[in-house]
Amino acid sequence: MKAFEYSAPKSLKDATALLSSSWGETEILAGGTDLVTSLKQGIAAPKRVVSLRNIRELRGVDNSRQGLRIGAMTTLEEIAQNKQIKEAYPAIVTAISSIGSPQIISVGTIGGDLCQRPRCWYFRNGFGLLGRQGETSLVRTGDNRYHAIFGTDGPALFVSPSSLGPPLIALGATITAVGPDGKKRDIPAGQFFQAPKSESERETALKSNEILTAITIPSAGGRSLANATYEVRHRHGLDWPYVTASVAFQRENGVARKPQLVLGHVAPVPWVSAKAAQALEGGKLDEATAKRCGDLAAEGAKPLSGNAYKIQLVKTAVKRAVLAAAA
Amino acid sequence: MSKQPGSGFSRRGFLKGVGITSVAGGLISPAGLTSAIAAEGDVKGPGETPITLDVNGQKRKLNVEPRVTLLDALRNRLDLTGPKKVCDRGTCGACTVIVDGKPVYSCSMLAVEAEGREVTTIEGIGTPQRMNEVQRAFVKHDAQQCGFCTPGFVTAATAFVRANPKASIEQVRAGLGGNLCRCGTYAGMILAVVDAAKGGSNA
């Protein structure tokens, strides 16, 4: 690990002032579960690390006029144990408890979950976000069992590692960031993630000197919002899932309205399946509908040489997520 | 403990610290950053910086570079070698310590980030003469083979049992989900922790 400066300022203003306007020079430290490992692996080699641990306004869950506001430094454990979230958002609680390691959720934060770097083994071993050696895509020519099956026409073939991205997009959340000028910027969760087209681009809409401050889940306006996440995993701890599906819809007279369906670990971004979600609109919430939704969600997949197995997992994860939300 | 290597201020660490401080005072941007630098007093490193850790109920002063992990500070500076360095990337649990009551991978926390928090290592949990309820249950259920993962498991289990008294076997399984045992001694460990969660009455 290369040596770096460290600062843990008390205010957002001081923190953003300490951040560089170009990527790579500075890094933001939240829970550290990803960054500290990335520093050891040389994936990150900043001159300065800016810790957010002393900025009080970044912690906690509150009800605001816009909905439920979760501070970016709130730990995953605090979120999973929050009474209101437990009652209203099982899609989030399942995604957190599936991480399976008390040591990670005790310090890992919601902001860190959204900003963590991909787990792609080519990226982690120094071949960049696109996993290339010269003109050759190591992902396409090598072992790609855990890589993308959607969006594979583009150059980025890793999968978004975020556990909470898919449920937050399904729930219509907004992500707030603050830049060095102190201006707040609201980004719809669905536009927060982006697939980089070159090595100079990143996986989120954030700039290098912006700090993610909060996530707001809009209130359902008194309606009951059914939601669920289903994860297909090899191991139930200390590992990443193969495929996840998060679904949310308003329930009116036994049918689904305004359904949202988002897949995880299948593309460089959480993958929104708008067409599959439409299959739920107004339909009867039974196994046949759930299966049709799963089949539609798998349409358009273009797997790589070694991960076509994920197509069946998409169908299963979606079906089970829909049935769990409907139950 | 007869000696405390690395604790207090070693001459070398002191000289290095002085050197870095004077350099930082003389240059606006020692790291060559393009952004403006906030008040200098707020930025530590990249050389050694004095910190105070609260470990096993004792205040321990030491000098570390910001890049030093809590695990390396505990093992190499404070001679607390109970937390083990195995994967060193937050995926095995052998380095688990308790920070403010929560189980934490000490390999994935910077030592500077542990300032102001209460750290408990396996050394602070119990001794062969005075074992805690989890340690007694591990002995009773023969819950180890090679023993290398055991300090991490006992530490994680201790934090778990305190937060989840009367936990079910499924809850214990999830509670130990952050630790790996390559000998595969899980059955004994799960029984031990269920036993300890009951209050260790049978231990």
Side-chain angles (χ1 to χ4, degrees), chain A residues 12-244:
Chain A
L12 273 172
K13 191 166 164 261
D14 288 350
T16 49
L18 287 162
L19 292 170
S20 168
S21 56
S22 22
W23 285 114
E25 292 199 315
T26 53
E27 292 285 347
I28 297 168
L29 176 60
T33 58
D34 184 31
L35 181 66
V36 176
T37 302
S38 301
L39 291 166
K40 292 179 199 172
Q41 292 174 327
I43 303 302
K47 289 166 180 162
R48 179 185 296 153
V49 167
V50 179
S51 167
L52 304 183
R53 68 181 286 229
N54 291 330
I55 305 175
R56 282 206 188 149
E57 65 183 277
L58 296 181
R59 286 187 184 273
V61 181
D62 317 283
N63 288 295
S64 75
R65 211 180 302 161
Q66 288 77 31
L68 193 68
R69 181 193 173 280
I70 307 172
M73 284 291 282
T74 312
T75 67
L76 298 174
E77 185 183 60
E78 287 162 355
I79 294 167
Q81 290 178 352
N82 179 278
K83 195 164 168 267
Q84 209 175 336
I85 292 173
K86 267 161 90 173
E87 279 170 10
Y89 303 115
I92 290 176
V93 175
T94 301
I96 292 173
S97 53
S98 300
I99 292 168
S101 166
Q103 289 95 322
I104 286 183
I105 67 168
S106 67
V107 292
T109 65
I110 186 170
D113 175 82
L114 295 170
C115 295
Q116 64 182 309
R117 308 304 308 274
R119 308 307 307 177
C120 165
W121 42 40
Y122 302 105
F123 172 65
R124 292 279 162 178
N125 283 285
F127 294 100
L129 273 176
L130 307 183
R132 283 169 187 253
Q133 194 168 37
E135 290 301 301
T136 309
S137 165
L138 296 175
V139 188
R140 287 190 194 280
T141 54
D143 190 335
N144 48 37
R145 70 182 84 174
Y146 302 130
H147 287 78
I149 59 168
F150 287 102
T152 51
D153 292 334
L157 299 169
F158 63 82
V159 295
S160 168
S162 173
S163 290
L164 295 182
L168 289 172
I169 295 171
L171 293 167
T174 299
I175 290 165
T176 306
V178 170
D181 51 6
K183 268 196 190 148
K184 283 194 176 175
R185 186 158 78 98
D186 285 335
I187 310 163
Q191 291 166 29
F192 179 75
F193 298 94
Q194 56 193 27
K197 292 182 188 66
S198 72
E199 286 296 344
S200 62
E201 293 179 25
R202 286 282 181 124
E203 314 91 277
T204 73
L206 293 179
K207 297 187 181 84
S208 64
N209 54 6
E210 279 183 316
I211 294 173
L212 195 167
T213 57
I215 294 92
T216 307
I217 306 171
S219 67
R223 291 193 183 84
S224 125
L225 187 72
N227 64 96
T229 293
Y230 188 89
E231 301 200 346
V232 183
R233 288 175 165 266
H234 183 98
R235 287 195 331 202
H236 291 265
L238 287 175
D239 208 350
W240 275 264
Y242 291 136
V243 168
T244 74

Side-chain angles (χ1 to χ4, degrees), chain B residues 13-171:
Chain B
F14 176 71
L15 289 174
K16 270 173 93 176
V18 168
I20 293 298
T21 309
S22 61
V23 168
L27 295 172
I28 291 168
S29 175
L33 291 174
T34 51
S35 64
I37 293 219
E40 278 177 29
D42 295 340
V43 179
K44 295 172 174 179
E48 289 193 338
T49 179
I51 60 168
T52 304
L53 293 181
D54 183 344
V55 185
N56 300 332
Q58 285 184 317
K59 296 266 192 281
R60 307 287 297 267
K61 288 186 173 176
L62 62 160
N63 291 344
V64 291
E65 293 180 358
R67 64 174 162 174
V68 172
T69 61
L70 176 59
L71 175 63
D72 283 343
L74 292 170
R75 289 180 58 84
N76 301 341
R77 303 302 185 86
L78 302 181
D79 215 20
L80 294 166
T81 54
K84 298 289 181 257
K85 189 169 183 172
V86 180
C87 76
D88 202 23
R89 55 179 194 177
T91 57
C92 79
C95 68
T96 302
V97 300
I98 300 174
V99 177
D100 287 344
K102 309 278 186 196
V104 167
Y105 295 138
S106 61
C107 75
S108 299
M109 179 177 274
L110 298 175
V112 286
E113 288 268 296
E115 261 201 302
R117 296 172 172 177
E118 278 182 28
V119 180
T120 306
T121 69
I122 188 73
E123 288 88 347
I125 281 176
T127 63
Q129 292 74 36
R130 295 188 59 165
M131 292 190 280
N132 84 346
E133 69 278 19
V134 174
Q135 290 170 317
R136 284 198 304 274
F138 265 60
V139 172
K140 180 189 163 195
H141 291 275
D142 198 14
Q144 61 274 313
Q145 283 191 48
C146 87
F148 209 72
C149 71
T150 307
F153 263 103
V154 169
T155 308
T158 297
F160 172 78
V161 165
R162 286 176 188 168
N164 303 276
K166 298 184 182 141
S168 68
I169 200 159
E170 287 74 26
Q171 288 171 315

